[in-house]
Amino acid sequence: MKRFLPLLTLSAILCSGCGIAALTPVLVFDEPELTIYQIASALTGCPESILRGIAFAESTYNPDAIGDDGVSIGLCQINETFHAERAKKYGEYNPWCPLDSLLLAGRLYMDNIKVLKSQRLAITAHKMGVTGAKRGEVTWYVERVLTRGKA
């Protein structure tokens, strides 16, 4: 996928109200392709390195991973016990879809930053939830996310 999503959005804004019935995607050639990590970061505000680190720490980048006796699913090991609650808050998602998994992880991280006021605790909350993170960080997990996210 070439980098046309921002231009498509921009063209939608510029064309609104001018009577054009359909949008025409604008392709920009010679631009690097965006990764799912870059897309999720741009859409959620979560740093790309954190998303990469979570994906590594949770599944070693395996979108087909299943953990916690089938409860945690996908790239970011989304705990499906809370699916209904999260779908209501963030919109429906598919935990098997790598982009959906990253988008949800990014949204959760950004919400956790607001509540916990700490990057390390927000990362811990992906592993243990906000209540668990309030008891203290899981140092080995945080270090794994931060180290592998930079690689």
Side-chain angles (χ1 to χ4, degrees):
M1 178 172 90
K2 292 293 180 194
R3 189 181 268 183
F4 72 92
L5 192 57
L7 291 176
L8 180 60
T9 305
L10 181 59
S11 68
I13 293 167
L14 294 175
C15 293
S16 62
C18 67
I20 297 175
L23 296 177
T24 304
V26 178
L27 295 176
V28 177
F29 294 97
D30 299 326
E31 289 288 329
E33 292 184 11
L34 295 174
T35 68
I36 58 173
Y37 300 97
Q38 291 168 322
I39 294 167
S41 177
L43 292 174
T44 65
C46 179
E48 181 184 345
S49 62
I50 299 296
L51 293 171
R52 285 183 184 281
I54 288 172
F56 176 81
E58 292 293 337
S59 70
T60 57
Y61 306 120
N62 179 3
D64 298 322
I66 300 172
D68 301 325
D69 295 324
V71 175
S72 297
I73 296 172
L75 187 66
C76 295
Q77 288 293 278
I78 303 301
N79 185 326
E80 284 300 275
T81 303
F82 306 103
H83 186 101
E85 175 186 330
R86 290 172 175 164
K88 185 176 179 182
K89 184 173 184 175
Y90 302 113
E92 193 55 57
Y93 65 90
N94 175 358
W96 295 108
C97 171
L99 181 58
D100 280 5
S101 187
L102 289 168
L103 288 170
L104 183 59
R107 289 179 180 124
L108 291 170
Y109 174 84
M110 295 305 289
D111 283 353
N112 293 336
I113 281 282
K114 289 176 190 168
V115 171
L116 299 166
K117 311 281 191 250
S118 160
Q119 178 189 54
R120 296 179 73 85
L121 291 178
I123 292 169
T124 296
H126 188 87
K127 183 80 174 158
M128 302 178 59
V130 171
T131 303
K134 285 181 179 179
R135 290 191 294 263
E137 73 177 63
V138 179
T139 306
W140 68 267
Y141 181 78
V142 172
E143 292 305 320
R144 185 173 168 117
V145 169
L146 292 174
T147 301
R148 294 307 293 227
K150 292 178 184 176

